[in-house]
């Protein structure tokens, strides 16, 4: 058995930043919506520059999801293509795929069972029950789309192995452009039709995840083909450019009070802005030179980053418990504080990061226990 390749700590750190992004996004999700529709308690957040900050935060959910898929595509497509080039059989590829799927599906099933048991025996969790299904189906849409994409990775790798790089690149780019044309059309139509096309936008969110996975594979080709100095410069300049443009856009919309456009540009995972920001974020992380820092810090980053899916599942399953508490806290700040908007945003950001860290630690502990049990079982044989 070949030893596992060393992890890219910069990319693992990007996973953690994305976890923070998704946590902050979900904390402010209702707050942003309430601000956009003009609920009076949220009026302080509608002013410049606070609405711009909320608009940027509302991009983080899409950005984080795309980052997760791009990172997976960055590694899995190249790995699958190398295996095919090395003479891998369908049986061996399916075995590798089954192992990868197990790492995503088994923890998800575990947390679903824990949530169901808690809701049934200890204290009810709203919407988590045997006679309902949303909480483990569409409520975990991200997980199931991710699992389907991982399953398709072997075919993506086969295409990469058999076709020319130019053909693969042009095909992915063409499909990506088509998808975002559709996304833009649906966003425009939904804004004028009262959400009539929202179900199509949800479907396109899943399609966009798959495209993000494929773009991750293309970014691997870019970083592999360039020398490290040139790639590093490209990554830094690309991230800086897209980040500045995003901040300027959100600032302009905030200054003009165009909150409707903010909401339209950041709907779910169909946002072109978030997609571009995710791509350059991965390019930046992938082209950072490995630093010989503290090994314990690197180990902690890896341990927490591998808990990403566990975090997502736990956050989703318990959202009906923590979301009302967070929403009430933020609206109370807006009502009683002297500088409510700034305090609200800072408080929401802090509690989001603390909550995310707690969930990451829980799943990292679960993974550690599972590994210890496997090692003990192996020694006893």
């Amino acid at each position: 058995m070949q030893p596992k390749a060393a992890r890219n700590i910069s990319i693992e750190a990007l996973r953690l930043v994305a976890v923070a992004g998704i946590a902050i996004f979900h904390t402010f999700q209702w707050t942003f919506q309430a601000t956009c529709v003009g609920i009076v308690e949220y009026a302080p957040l509608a002013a410049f520059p606070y609405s711009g900050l909320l608009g940027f935060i509302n991009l983080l959910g899409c950005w984080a999801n795309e980052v997760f898929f791009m990172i997976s595509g960055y590694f899995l497509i190249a790995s699958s293509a190398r295996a095919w080039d090395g003479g891998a059989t369908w049986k061996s590829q399916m075995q590798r795929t089954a192992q990868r799927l197990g790492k995503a599906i088994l923890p998800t099933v575990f947390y679903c069972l824990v949530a169901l048991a808690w809701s049934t025996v200890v204290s009810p969790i709203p919407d988590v029950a045997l006679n309902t299904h949303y909480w483990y189906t569409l409520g975990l849409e991200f997980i199931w789309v991710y699992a389907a994409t991982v399953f398709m990775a072997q075919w993506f790798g086969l295409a990469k192995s058999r076709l020319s790089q130019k053909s693969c690149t042009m095909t992915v780019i063409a499909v990506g452009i088509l998808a975002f044309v559709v996304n833009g059309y649906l966003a425009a139509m939904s804004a004028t039709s009262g959400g009539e096309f929202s179900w199509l936008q949800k479907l396109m969110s899943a399609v966009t995840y798959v495209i993000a996975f494929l773009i991750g594979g293309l970014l691997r080709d870019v970083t592999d083909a360039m020398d490290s100095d040139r790639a590093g410069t490209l990554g830094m300049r690309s991230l800086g450019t897209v980040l500045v443009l995003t901040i300027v856009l959100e600032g302009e919309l905030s200054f003009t009070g165009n909150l409707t456009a903010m909401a339209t540009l950041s709907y779910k995972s169909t946002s072109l802005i978030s997609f571009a920001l995710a791509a350059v974020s991965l390019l930046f992380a992938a082209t950072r030179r490995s630093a010989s820092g503290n090994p314990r810090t690197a180990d902690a980053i890896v341990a927490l980053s591998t808990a990403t899916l566990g975090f997502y599942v736990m956050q989703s399953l318990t959202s009906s418990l923590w979301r009302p508490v967070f929403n009430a806290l933020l609206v109370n700040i807006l009502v009683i504080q002297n500088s409510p908007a700034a305090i609200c945003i800072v408080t929401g950001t802090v509690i989001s990061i603390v909550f995310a860290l707690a969930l990451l630690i829980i799943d990292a502990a679960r993974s550690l226990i599972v590994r210890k049990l496997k090692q003990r079982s192996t020694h006893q044989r």
Side-chain angles (χ1 to χ4, degrees):
M1 180 180 294
Q2 294 180 344
K4 290 185 177 180
R7 289 181 177 268
N8 184 316
I9 300 302
S10 296
I11 292 181
E12 299 307 315
L14 177 60
R15 290 186 202 265
L16 295 183
V17 176
V19 165
I22 198 73
I24 295 169
F25 162 76
H26 280 299
T27 294
F28 285 99
Q29 188 173 15
W30 165 249
T31 300
F32 178 74
Q33 294 171 1
T35 302
C36 288
V37 298
I39 295 179
V40 63
E41 290 86 354
Y42 294 86
L45 291 172
F48 175 83
Y50 303 112
S51 60
L53 288 173
L54 281 184
F56 186 84
I57 288 172
N58 208 51
L59 293 171
L60 293 180
C62 175
W63 169 79
N65 288 344
E66 308 295 11
V67 163
F68 295 145
F69 275 86
M70 286 183 188
I71 290 176
S72 295
Y74 185 87
F75 290 111
L76 295 186
I77 293 176
S79 175
S80 178
R82 284 196 304 270
W84 286 118
D85 290 337
T89 63
W90 276 103
K91 180 180 179 180
S92 64
Q93 288 286 65
M94 290 301 293
Q95 288 174 339
R96 287 157 58 92
T97 299
Q99 291 175 349
R100 291 166 179 162
L101 288 174
K103 293 178 180 179
I105 294 176
L106 293 180
T108 301
V109 172
F110 169 77
Y111 285 121
C112 284
L113 292 175
V114 170
L116 180 61
W118 183 278
S119 183
T120 303
V121 178
V122 181
S123 178
I125 300 176
D127 303 323
V128 176
L130 278 174
N131 61 346
T132 60
H133 58 81
Y134 181 87
W135 59 280
Y136 64 84
T137 54
L138 291 179
L140 296 176
E141 174 191 8
F142 175 90
I143 299 296
W144 305 128
V145 174
Y146 175 77
T149 308
V150 169
F151 181 76
M152 292 186 289
Q154 58 187 319
W155 281 277
F156 296 146
L158 180 62
K160 180 179 176 62
S161 174
R162 299 295 185 264
L163 301 176
S164 68
Q165 182 173 334
K166 182 178 180 180
S167 297
C168 290
T169 301
M170 295 303 295
T171 300
V172 172
I173 291 176
V175 172
I177 291 174
L178 177 61
F180 277 102
V181 168
V182 174
N183 285 342
Y185 173 77
L186 291 176
M189 294 299 294
S190 183
T192 60
S193 62
E196 179 183 351
F197 296 93
S198 61
W199 68 274
L200 277 174
Q201 287 182 290
K202 292 179 181 179
L203 176 62
M204 286 305 298
S205 291
V207 172
T208 308
Y209 287 151
V210 178
I211 293 172
F213 189 85
L214 295 172
I215 290 295
L218 293 187
L219 288 175
R220 180 61 176 267
D221 293 337
V222 172
T223 58
D224 286 349
M226 300 176 67
D227 65 80
S228 58
D229 290 337
R230 186 182 173 194
T233 300
L234 176 63
M236 183 176 297
R237 289 179 177 176
S238 299
L239 178 60
T241 300
V242 176
L243 191 57
V244 168
L245 290 176
T246 302
I247 293 172
V248 169
L249 174 61
E250 295 298 327
E252 173 65 20
L253 294 175
S254 174
F255 185 75
T256 58
N258 197 346
L259 303 186
T260 301
M262 276 189 192
T264 301
L265 291 172
S266 58
Y267 182 84
K268 283 190 169 287
S269 290
T270 62
S271 168
L272 179 59
I273 300 171
S274 294
F275 192 94
L277 193 57
V280 296
S281 296
L282 176 55
L283 182 61
F284 174 80
T287 54
R288 295 305 91 199
R289 291 183 176 179
S290 299
S292 56
N294 190 328
R296 292 185 178 180
T297 301
D299 290 343
I301 290 174
V302 171
L304 292 177
S305 69
T306 55
T308 295
L309 289 179
F311 152 80
Y312 192 94
V313 175
M314 284 187 283
Q315 187 198 45
S316 298
L317 292 176
T318 61
S319 62
S320 57
L321 297 178
W322 60 262
R323 193 185 297 273
V325 176
F326 285 13
N327 288 343
L329 173 62
L330 297 183
V331 75
N332 285 337
I333 291 174
L334 292 173
V335 171
I336 66 176
Q337 293 293 333
N338 292 327
S339 301
I343 296 175
C344 175
I345 291 175
V346 171
T347 301
T349 300
V350 171
I351 62 175
S352 300
I353 294 174
V354 171
F355 181 53
L357 181 60
L359 296 186
L360 288 172
I361 291 173
I362 290 172
D363 191 66
R366 178 201 61 80
S367 297
L368 179 61
I369 293 172
V370 170
R371 287 197 301 272
K372 294 294 185 183
L373 292 175
K374 286 183 178 179
Q375 291 173 359
R376 180 178 298 180
S377 176
T378 302
H379 291 325
Q380 290 177 348
R381 290 178 182 176

